[in-house]
Amino acid sequence: MRRLIIAPVLVAVAAFALAGCAQDFGKGPEGRVTKKAKDGKKLYLVVDPTKEGKETKFRVSKYDYHDCYRGSKYPKCIDD
């Protein structure tokens, strides 16, 4: 009986631990990627949404960082 109680608790704890590992950063503005930047382990994309030099820097996951190249259209580069 005791094992039946412990097993679901362990499964729930493991699920919460894995959910905490996921990187979920908000989407930045639409535009062209002008730069990619790193600050330690933090990854950033710099996007110029208006093509007028008003760049916006925002944090992204490592997957989005590697999927988007300089000159690519954001967020299309992460949706492909």
Side-chain angles (χ1 to χ4, degrees):
M1 181 71 175
R2 188 172 182 101
R3 287 185 188 177
L4 293 175
I5 295 172
I6 293 174
V9 170
L10 290 176
V11 170
V13 169
F16 284 122
L18 289 175
C21 294
Q23 294 178 331
D24 185 27
F25 302 107
K27 282 191 173 183
E30 293 183 12
R32 292 269 177 209
V33 177
T34 57
K35 297 177 193 168
K36 293 170 69 171
K38 289 183 183 183
D39 182 16
K41 291 187 176 183
K42 296 177 184 174
L43 305 171
Y44 297 91
L45 290 178
V46 180
V47 171
D48 186 0
T50 60
K51 299 181 184 176
E52 297 175 0
K54 297 180 181 179
E55 298 175 330
T56 303
K57 180 179 177 181
F58 55 95
R59 193 165 174 200
V60 294
S61 71
K62 66 180 177 181
Y63 304 108
D64 293 347
Y65 182 83
H66 292 294
D67 287 346
C68 295
Y69 298 98
R70 219 172 131 224
S72 62
K73 200 169 191 181
Y74 183 85
K76 186 174 180 344
C77 57
I78 63 170
D79 293 335
D80 289 340

